[in-house]
Amino acid sequence: MGFFTEMFARPRPQEHLRYRSALALLHSMSNADRADIGIKPADFPRIAREMSVR
């Protein structure tokens, strides 16, 4: 059970903040913008993860 307390006691990594901001950016795009670059809302989590790592 030490794993769970350790997991919740640690501060969140900076990638989490970048992930949330990237996801917010993707959600704020209009449908026309999404169609121009060829992404669908189902792709948002994957794209946001890739953006947060960079």
Side-chain angles (χ1 to χ4, degrees):
M1 286 308 211
F3 169 74
F4 287 113
T5 57
E6 192 174 290
M7 183 175 71
F8 292 116
R10 291 183 180 173
R12 290 182 175 175
Q14 291 297 323
E15 291 90 21
H16 189 282
L17 297 174
R18 289 194 297 258
Y19 172 78
R20 291 183 65 192
S21 63
L23 199 58
L25 175 74
L26 290 169
H27 279 289
S28 69
M29 294 172 64
S30 69
N31 287 336
D33 290 336
R34 293 179 197 153
D36 283 345
I37 58 175
I39 62 170
K40 296 181 175 147
D43 297 330
F44 287 0
R46 178 184 53 83
I47 294 170
R49 275 193 302 275
E50 291 172 1
M51 290 171 67
S52 68
V53 173
R54 292 181 190 170

